[in-house]
Structures are given as structure tokens and as C-alpha cells.
Amino acid sequence: MAAIGRSGARVTVNMRNGGKVRYAVDLALAKGVWYVADIATPGTPSFAAKLKLGLR
């Protein structure tokens, strides 16, 4: 886990179902609660950006 600014963190997750894949999960702290801000995979650098593009 690595800090991102004053109210964020990046956590690295290794998944093994169907093969090894490494994910990075960005978390944001708001009002004492941690929320998932973004998810990055080898094929998708920003899942949040991908979702925003799909909503246009």
C-alpha cells in the first residue's frame, strides 16, 4: 500500500483465478469512509476513465 496525497492510497492486489493478474486499486478517504476511486489493470490503466468515455 502506498499513500496518495493526504486522503488516498493505492493498494496492489494479485489475483490468481484463471491466471495471475495484478490490479491496482486507488482508494479515497471521505468523511471517515474508504471508497474505491479507480482500478487499474495491465489492459485498462484507468477503469474510471473508461467508464466516463462510455457515458458520452
Side-chain angles (χ1 to χ4, degrees):
M1 180 157 76
I4 300 175
R6 294 180 63 206
S7 60
R10 175 168 277 191
V11 179
T12 302
V13 179
N14 291 307
M15 299 290 287
R16 293 187 190 127
N17 4 341
K20 292 183 181 180
V21 179
R22 176 177 274 188
Y23 296 87
V25 180
D26 291 343
L27 303 172
L29 181 62
K31 297 182 182 180
V33 179
W34 287 98
Y35 295 93
V36 174
D38 202 0
I39 300 171
T41 67
T44 306
S46 171
F47 191 66
K50 184 176 181 174
L51 288 175
K52 287 177 186 176
L53 283 174
L55 293 174
R56 291 183 184 177

